[in-house]
Amino acid sequence: MGLPHSSHDRGAQFLRKPHPGIAGVSLATIRAPAYFPKTMSSTLLTTHSQAERPPIILPLIVACALFMENLDSTIIATALPAMARSLGESPLTMSAAMTSYLLSLVVFIPASGWLADRFGGRDVFVSAIAVFTISSLLCGVAQNLPEMIAARVLQGMGGAMMTPVGRLVLLRAVSKSQLVQAMSYVTIPALVGPAIGPLIGGFIATYSTWRWIFYVNLPIGLLGIALALRFIPNVRMPDPGRADIRGLVLTGLGLGFLALTFDNIGRGALPGWLVAIAAAIGLFFLALFLRHARQAERPAIDLTLLRLPTYRASILGGNCFRMAIGGTPFLLPLMFQLGFGLTPLQSGSLTFASAVGAMGMKAIAPPIVRRFGFRQLLVGNAALCTLSLASYGLFRPSWPYALIIGALLLGGLIRSLQFTCINAIGYADVPPARMSRATSLSSAAQQLTLSIGVTIAATLLALVKPSHATASLAPADFLPVFLAMSVFCLASIFFFAALPHGAGAEVSRACHRAPAPEAD
């Protein structure tokens, strides 16, 4: 059922007409997918039949916005020394520019789902891009550290809305059978951003001013706003209910203090006792939220979603996998620069191979998923990812660069496939009315576990080599760290193996007959 005439947006009117040439894929008529409730307040983008490929323009719009965010979160690390010199601060103090962004991101993510339901996914998504773009400009013109921190907090607010709402826009615009193809595009930013961030950051810091690290977001943001307004329908829920203000405050404080804890463990920026207090405060507020969530009709974070086997496997198994992978963008540049003696630009050129692998997987992921199904693929590919991650610890300066690049390329391929499967199956059985809460919970968990991954990697490296001796790190020092991180990857298999046979068959379109119970 469509909106009243006054509520139709230009994007929906444009897409009703067959369009022959957007990225080589025609756009179909606007109609609601069969799995959507008839009370939805806007018509949705889909295809004429299940056999057609999903419109490529929507995943690309969302992917570009997410790429801008993921790139920004990693690119700044390379330029911190240059930023510190320019603003008259020490590099250690400048780390507040990274921490403030992370805290703002985690605090505001839980509110994104309700805002999208209340005001429409497209409008919130466009507003998020606008906030992120404007704050990028403010970061670029900042003249001191307080101005930079304020701009980064604002940027984190925009980023907190872009990731979950962008994914929500996509989930509501494609049918479930098209989800793997769509997610294969959206997965790329999470892998490509951290891989090429050091490369681009090193290039800009070396040959230009660090301010261009933020200015590059301006044209991307403006283009994203224009495309989103034209091509994305503004879907909103008919009855979003009241915002769970108490729950949002409790989760924001709890997640914020935990993010602060994980960002400072083992770094020495804060005293150990202060980090412990931050952890205790974070756990206290989350405990209060758990008590509140049992009584709230629509809590800010809906933990009952974990009762769905596919969503539970995506959250628990996926976050275990992310903890393992999250430390890789931190460890590889250190290995190549301190262990191999390479420059930041040379190091970034090597790690770029994993980004190429991630991009290469987008075309072949859907047929692989259809061939093997989610459960078999998640278990088997997690084992391959474990071996790949552990093998990074064997890299030595004497190895031919072609061999290292080949290993990183293969690692990017299989990790991209795993993330595509994790993201797609997570929403296979989520009812449309709860989709916004599912994306909020998933995004908050992802941000925390990626931070935990970096913290674990840094802590393990400090155990191998005390902080005062990090300048003398040898390639062999990274082997036990990569081996330990690969254990988390291996542990994710436990959650994926618990999936029922044929899980997510509507999404994967894999026609596997479930075996008899005794076969298990």
Side-chain angles (χ1 to χ4, degrees):
M1 176 178 168
L3 276 168
H5 178 73
S6 60
S7 300
H8 280 294
D9 56 276
R10 295 181 180 178
Q13 294 171 359
F14 174 84
L15 289 172
R16 283 197 184 89
K17 300 178 181 179
H19 198 286
I22 297 178
V25 181
S26 62
L27 296 181
T29 56
I30 298 291
R31 62 181 176 85
Y35 61 87
F36 250 84
K38 293 183 179 180
T39 55
M40 199 61 78
S41 64
S42 176
T43 50
L44 302 174
L45 182 66
T46 187
T47 54
H48 286 295
S49 69
Q50 297 294 332
E52 295 181 9
R53 293 175 62 192
I56 198 173
I57 190 68
L58 285 179
L60 287 182
I61 293 172
V62 175
C64 286
L66 302 189
F67 173 76
M68 180 169 62
E69 180 192 344
N70 279 275
L71 179 66
D72 194 83
S73 62
T74 56
I75 194 175
I76 189 176
T78 311
L80 277 183
M83 293 172 62
R85 288 192 299 270
S86 174
L87 299 180
E89 301 284 348
S90 71
L92 186 61
T93 306
M94 281 303 301
S95 65
M98 299 180 66
T99 304
S100 58
Y101 175 82
L102 173 65
L103 292 177
S104 178
L105 194 71
V106 173
V107 166
F108 289 102
I109 279 178
S112 61
W114 182 85
L115 288 172
D117 285 347
R118 174 66 178 83
F119 299 103
R122 185 203 60 190
D123 288 353
V124 175
F125 185 59
V126 168
S127 299
I129 298 176
V131 170
F132 193 90
T133 304
I134 293 171
S135 57
S136 295
L137 175 63
L138 295 177
C139 287
V141 300
Q143 299 300 313
N144 52 57
L145 184 57
E147 290 181 5
M148 174 62 71
I149 292 175
R152 290 287 282 175
V153 169
L154 185 63
Q155 198 175 38
M157 293 174 60
M161 303 297 157
M162 272 203 303
T163 299
V165 176
R167 189 176 288 117
L168 178 63
V169 163
L170 191 60
L171 289 169
R172 287 178 172 171
V174 301
S175 63
K176 289 191 176 182
S177 63
Q178 300 167 334
L179 195 54
V180 173
Q181 178 72 45
M183 282 297 178
S184 65
Y185 288 95
V186 178
T187 297
I188 292 175
L191 295 167
V192 173
I196 70 172
L199 175 64
I200 297 178
F203 180 85
I204 292 176
T206 302
Y207 298 105
S208 183
T209 171
W210 60 268
R211 298 183 186 276
W212 276 102
I213 285 177
F214 300 102
Y215 293 155
V216 294
N217 290 331
L218 303 185
I220 301 175
L222 293 175
L223 179 62
I225 291 173
L227 292 175
L229 287 174
R230 185 170 189 182
F231 294 115
I232 295 179
N234 193 38
V235 179
R236 66 183 69 180
M237 295 298 293
D239 181 24
R242 280 185 165 186
D244 180 19
I245 302 298
R246 183 179 179 184
L248 290 173
V249 171
L250 292 176
T251 54
L253 290 172
L255 294 175
F257 276 105
L258 282 186
L260 180 66
T261 299
F262 293 126
D263 193 55
N264 284 278
I265 290 178
R267 291 178 52 188
L270 294 177
W273 62 269
L274 195 56
V275 174
I277 290 178
I281 294 175
L283 293 174
F284 173 73
F285 280 118
L286 289 181
L288 289 180
F289 170 75
L290 290 177
R291 182 180 178 183
H292 163 75
R294 296 191 189 100
Q295 304 169 351
E297 182 180 354
R298 295 182 179 181
I301 291 184
D302 187 1
L303 296 177
T304 62
L305 286 164
L306 295 175
R307 296 172 185 170
L308 300 173
T310 49
Y311 190 78
R312 183 171 61 247
S314 175
I315 291 291
L316 301 182
N319 288 334
C320 202
F321 182 77
R322 285 186 184 91
M323 278 194 287
I325 303 304
T328 305
F330 168 77
L331 291 172
L332 283 177
L334 281 181
M335 173 189 277
F336 291 144
Q337 294 179 42
L338 300 182
F340 284 36
L342 302 180
T343 65
L345 194 57
Q346 291 171 327
S347 170
S349 300
L350 283 179
T351 57
F352 182 68
S354 62
V356 175
M359 289 185 285
M361 178 51 68
K362 66 179 177 60
I364 60 177
I368 293 177
V369 175
R370 284 195 296 268
R371 169 66 179 82
F372 295 101
F374 279 111
R375 182 180 182 273
Q376 184 177 351
L377 194 56
L378 283 167
V379 171
N381 199 51
L384 292 179
C385 290
T386 300
L387 295 175
S388 172
L389 186 59
S391 71
Y392 292 171
L394 301 174
F395 290 169
R396 296 294 181 269
S398 59
W399 283 31
Y401 283 154
L403 185 59
I404 295 177
I405 291 173
L408 294 174
L409 184 69
L410 177 62
L413 275 168
I414 58 179
R415 285 201 300 274
S416 178
L417 176 61
Q418 193 75 354
F419 278 126
T420 297
C421 292
I422 290 170
N423 290 334
I425 197 173
Y427 304 101
D429 301 320
V430 176
R434 303 175 72 187
M435 199 69 80
S436 59
R437 282 173 278 172
T439 58
S440 297
L441 173 57
S442 178
S443 297
Q446 287 178 26
Q447 289 298 328
L448 273 181
T449 49
L450 288 173
S451 299
I452 294 172
V454 175
T455 298
I456 293 174
T459 303
L460 291 173
L461 197 58
L463 293 175
V464 173
K465 207 77 147 182
S467 58
H468 64 271
T470 51
S472 61
L473 279 169
D477 295 328
F478 290 87
L479 177 58
V481 180
F482 277 113
L483 289 176
M485 298 301 291
S486 66
V487 172
F488 291 98
C489 190
L490 186 65
S492 68
I493 295 178
F494 171 80
F495 300 100
F496 300 138
L499 283 167
H501 291 273
E506 184 183 356
V507 175
S508 68
R509 302 174 71 186
C511 302
H512 294 295
R513 184 166 61 91
E518 59 268 22
D520 291 330

